[in-house]
Amino acid sequence: MPTSLPPDAPMLVLAAPGSVEGVAAEIAAVVRVDNPQIEVRLSSLAELAGTLPAGRDAVVVPLVTWADPMVMAEIGKAVAASGSGAVVTEPLGPHPLLAEALHIRLAERGLARADRVRLLNVSSPVDAVILGTAGGEQAVGAVQPTAVLLASRLTLPVVAASLDSEPGVAVAAQRLRAAGAQRLAIAPCLIGHEAPEGIVAEAAASIDAGHAEPLGAHGAIAELVARAYGSQLAT
């Protein structure tokens, strides 16, 4: 990301699939602090068409970890309705930074070691991790690369599963325990506004597993937003 930009540089518009308060507002604040040279706006999908600037370029970054077709379609409709010619970036995942943030969220709950090196005389806090996502079977398929990246960091089995549809985390837990993994944890591959509050805790309780917090305003999310914007400047 350039340290300075011309006055007519594209605006960065964050498109949140849920409320613009809470997590989305926190992410926007971190992006502004880390990148003061960029004008940043935050919008819900419903208000996106009116948020996009007239007569000025804009880069829309969806605040999602996978290309949810409903979210991406709504963004596309809003851009078309605005007549702004704004460019829409890819979602924030899959990406190694996303796996890093998931690892840290697990470590914060004591469900993973903070270091990346497995020592033979140190046991892992859990035997396997379920990467929880929202959006059904399509979401599960989309986050598989992130599951592979996280498994590489943890050197543990990581299985993606849906938090909001069947077959879900219960089936994933059953398969992992049948394979010998008794201590499980759920790592939600969610920023925090994509699913009902409490869905992760409920899923974890249903399978007697620990769980990490959603990604929220982790610095890696803000960095991915800046990278998405910067990649459009480069083109």
Side-chain angles (χ1 to χ4, degrees), residues 79-211:
V79 170
S82 71
S84 68
V87 176
V88 182
T89 74
E90 296 295 320
L92 303 182
H95 194 280
L97 278 174
L98 205 58
E100 179 181 339
L102 288 163
H103 185 174
I104 292 171
R105 288 290 186 242
L106 284 165
E108 288 171 348
R109 282 292 186 91
L111 299 170
R113 287 189 303 277
D115 64 275
R116 295 181 59 178
V117 181
R118 282 186 68 103
L119 303 177
L120 294 178
N121 61 340
V122 179
S123 62
S124 174
V126 298
D127 302 318
V129 172
I130 297 172
L131 188 67
T133 187
E137 186 176 349
Q138 195 168 10
V140 172
V143 302
Q144 288 291 352
T146 302
V148 172
L149 290 167
L150 182 59
S152 177
R153 291 186 64 92
L154 300 175
T155 59
L156 289 173
V158 177
V159 176
S162 177
L163 293 164
D164 59 357
S165 68
E166 297 298 334
V169 296
V171 172
Q174 191 175 41
R175 290 175 178 170
L176 287 168
R177 286 186 168 128
Q182 297 305 309
R183 300 169 301 166
L184 305 181
I186 296 178
C189 194
L190 305 170
I191 293 173
H193 46 217
E194 309 96 316
E197 186 177 356
I199 191 171
V200 179
E202 291 172 7
S206 73
I207 60 170
D208 190 24
H211 71 89

